[in-house]
Amino acid sequence: MILGAGPAGLTAGWEAMRSSFSAVVYERDDCVGGISRTVEHNGYHFDIGGHRFFTKVTEVEAIWHEILADDMLVRPRLSRIYYDGKMFDYPIRPLNALRGLGPIEAIRVGLSFLHAQIFPSREERTFEQWVSNRFGRRLFEIFFKTYTEKVWGMDCSEIRADWAAQRIKDLDLVKTLRHALLGRFATRGPVATSLIEHFHYPRKGPGQLWERCSEILAEKGIDTHLGHEVVTVRREGRHVTHVALRAPQGAGEERPVMLEADGDHFISSLALKDLLTRMEPAPPAEVLDAANRLRYRDFLTVALAIDEPDLFPDNWIYIHAPEVRVGRIQNFGNWSPEMLPLTDTSSLGLEYFVQEGDDLWSMKDSELIELAARECEQLGFIRRDQVVDGAVVRMPKAYPVYDPGYREALDTVRRWLDGFDNLTCVGRNGQHRYNNQDHSMVTSLRAVRNLRGAGLDIWDVNVEDDYHEEVNPDAAKGPQSDPTEFEPRGDRLVPGRVDAQLPEGLIQPVFARYDAHALGVAVAVLFGLGLFVATSTLLLAGGDPMGPTLSLLGIVLFGFEVSWPGMLVGIGEASLLGYAFGQLVARTINRVVGWQERLFRSRLELVRASALTD
Ligand SMILES: Cc1cc2nc3c(=O)[nH]c(=O)nc-3n(C[C@H](O)[C@H](O)[C@H](O)COP(=O)(O)OP(=O)(O)OC[C@H]3O[C@@H](n4cnc5c(N)ncnc54)[C@H](O)[C@@H]3O)c2cc1C
């Protein structure tokens, strides 16, 4: 039995179908796709936040194409940042940013960058410290603080630095290096997540993929029951016996229908907190307490239909403006023209990052549409009277939160769940992992393969490597653990300094330093030898006066004259001077190169850290 019909649940169904297992899917909502659904309103289609399809896992990509065939498009990407009435490139590029900010702000940014280099915060525990140490406080305030706080609803000083470390880990360093050096045009081919210039996207949005998937499953006898909410998960010890479901009420019925359903194995993509708080009997107190400590961030999209095409060329724009509450604006016609019913219109998705029950969440739909239209006008994208229609979608638990206590809570929950013999937790909230569709899908592929005895570890999925089905011959010994086959990712969230991940093999030769002593000796030998050749040539040639021009060196080389003893004194002094000169040149060059290297590293990290706002 599969709980939830998002990407994880339906992929579990897909793999069950391929393995000829019988299965059934229960979904609380009245549509499939979970967070990756597409909502349709009067012919306008919109996502819960635009969903790019990008993966390094060839098997996941093959599934997408098998399901959608020609309906999977390749789309260009453009996304920028709105700040202070201007648009900035995303990922951030230093020159573009400084030009856009103007001279005074650029000086402020430069000074605060210098300050951070000379007096960095010794502690790097928080997101704020991590970013400010690298780019300076001012750049942090402009390009990181407002948006990050809108998304997470907490102060940047409360967010752990390892979240930043995790988000930048996906980037391909060589490509990023090229990008930092040469700009956008350097990036071709399959590249790191935040630098993708093209991505796959279904003709009618991500929901099309999951709707088609559930149709194919139904044709093969795997039904998805919509509107069926899992309200209780009954267990005996660490064995799930059955689930209680609240089903849609039929015509003439006064109350929702309650059903009980059993199964041999349960694959759950429910949020861990929901799964554990719905168990009967309840889990041990410390496990329940840990589950209740897992926090989530909720999400709300206001879609506006606008009676004008070509509002702006971006797929989406990050709004770094503190004066409005919207965090990001999607332009769905630029994702796929078929998201619109009419070609001379546009559909914008204004994204608000909220907490269930807060003022925005509780606002009436009409008020939210009014707020979105007003903010869009305030930002200069539309006129209020161009809005012809609007719709609101609220998505609870859109983001699992990585707050300071989450890791310990998750470990406690996971240890207890590991003891179950017929329950597997998959997917984003099912594993409390802030990940994309491909990750959710791979956890489900593995979960089903484990039913065939594959012995794969579903908690250590690494979507950065290609996924190969390799049935572990040691399955009987327990979960897959060979790091050469599947790199364990359990440590993924441990704070890591980015410096440790830079491609030193590439950077060091470019910024190699002179050996000051070696250059000193080389110049000393050169000066000494030069004086020896010049003086001895004159002495051997003879003449009166002997070498009057060379004798002028006596002004700087005390005791030097064109004679054999004078030459020896001069060679000694010239060598000393040469050594000092060589040292000075080497040290000066090293200083300049060091300065360039620091600047380059900051620039590189700035490009990489742009991924933090994705
Ligand atoms: C704003 C935003 C933008 C994103 N952009 C991208 C992107 O560009 N590319 C990308 O690949 N990914 C993106 N993602 C991530 C992607 O949406 C998720 O990784 C994916 O949807 C997770 O799939 P899932 O099946 O694990 O979970 P979900 O999508 O959450 O599905 C879980 C399902 O379980 C159901 N359920 C929950 N509780 C119950 C219950 N008690 N009973 C029955 N059913 C229940 C839910 O209704 C839901 O359908 C984005 C996410 C967000 C929030």
Side-chain angles (χ1 to χ4, degrees), residues 131-303:
V131 177
S132 299
N133 270 359
R134 280 158 183 78
F135 314 123
R137 172 112 204 133
R138 190 66 197 141
L139 221 50
F140 159 74
E141 284 167 354
I142 294 173
F143 286 124
F144 294 90
K145 183 176 163 60
T146 308
Y147 184 76
T148 310
E149 289 181 356
K150 275 184 191 176
V151 174
W152 295 102
M154 34 180 178
D155 202 274
C156 285
S157 61
E158 287 174 57
I159 299 173
R160 282 165 60 135
D162 59 359
W163 177 71
Q166 189 213 1
R167 294 291 286 162
I168 64 165
K169 205 167 179 175
D170 288 351
L171 289 168
D172 177 322
L173 295 174
V174 177
K175 302 260 166 51
T176 311
L177 244 175
R178 258 195 340 205
H179 189 94
L181 284 168
L182 305 172
R184 267 176 185 269
F185 300 105
T187 338
R188 289 204 187 90
V191 295
T193 341
S194 68
L195 305 179
I196 297 166
E197 304 288 321
H198 287 88
F199 54 86
H200 281 108
Y201 190 71
R203 205 174 282 281
K204 286 194 181 290
Q208 185 183 13
L209 173 82
W210 300 114
E211 283 156 25
R212 182 78 196 108
C213 179
S214 79
E215 282 163 20
I216 296 172
L217 294 181
E219 284 161 17
K220 302 287 179 190
I222 298 181
D223 289 324
T224 301
H225 297 281
L226 299 177
H228 282 65
E229 180 179 2
V230 176
V231 286
T232 310
V233 177
R234 300 201 202 287
R235 66 182 182 96
E236 279 171 11
R238 309 266 190 109
H239 182 87
V240 178
T241 54
H242 50 280
V243 296
L245 298 147
R246 187 185 294 124
Q249 62 199 74
E253 285 165 357
E254 284 185 3
R255 292 200 201 136
V257 181
M258 296 304 291
L259 301 174
E260 297 257 331
D262 58 14
D264 297 328
H265 196 94
F266 296 80
I267 294 181
S268 165
S269 64
L270 267 55
L272 281 176
K273 183 177 183 166
D274 291 347
L275 177 71
L276 271 84
T277 52
R278 284 163 200 230
M279 280 204 173
E280 225 176 74
E286 97 252 18
V287 177
L288 199 58
D289 179 52
N292 277 316
R293 286 203 306 274
L294 293 175
R295 291 178 52 220
Y296 303 86
R297 188 78 174 139
D298 310 303
F299 185 85
L300 188 157
T301 294
V302 184

Side-chain angles (χ1 to χ4, degrees), residues 468-502:
H468 311 286
E469 183 182 8
E470 292 181 52
V471 177
N472 180 8
D474 294 334
K477 293 183 195 161
Q480 158 68 262
S481 62
D482 179 353
T484 57
E485 289 178 27
F486 301 105
E487 184 194 330
R489 301 305 300 272
D491 295 342
R492 194 164 181 223
L493 303 168
V494 173
R497 285 187 61 90
V498 178
D499 286 358
Q501 299 159 18
L502 289 173

Side-chain angles (χ1 to χ4, degrees), residues 3-10 26-29 31-37 48-54 64 228-231 245 269-271 274 278 299 328 335 351 353 395 397-399 426-430 433-438 440-441 443:
L3 311 181
L10 291 176
Y26 289 109
E27 164 58 47
R28 173 189 61 192
D29 290 345
C31 67
V32 297
I35 307 171
S36 306
R37 74 187 57 179
I48 312 302
H51 272 62
R52 278 180 291 161
F53 283 68
F54 174 77
W64 292 342
H228 282 65
E229 180 179 2
V230 176
V231 286
L245 298 147
S269 64
L270 267 55
D274 291 347
R278 284 163 200 230
F299 185 85
R328 196 163 52 176
W335 285 77
E351 301 179 359
F353 305 97
M395 178 55 68
K397 297 190 175 62
Y399 296 92
V426 293
R428 179 163 161 124
N429 288 331
R433 293 278 291 257
Y434 175 28
N435 278 321
N436 280 342
Q437 292 174 94
D438 59 344
S440 284
M441 292 175 68
T443 59

Side-chain angles (χ1 to χ4, degrees), residues 17 34 107 186 193 196 208-209 221 226 258 285 305 308-309 335 507 528 555-556 597-598 600 604 606:
M17 175 188 78
I107 290 170
T193 341
I196 297 166
Q208 185 183 13
L209 173 82
L226 299 177
M258 296 304 291
E308 190 185 310
W335 285 77
I507 293 180
I555 299 168
V556 279
E597 183 182 345
R598 273 197 299 283
F600 172 77
L604 176 64
L606 184 59

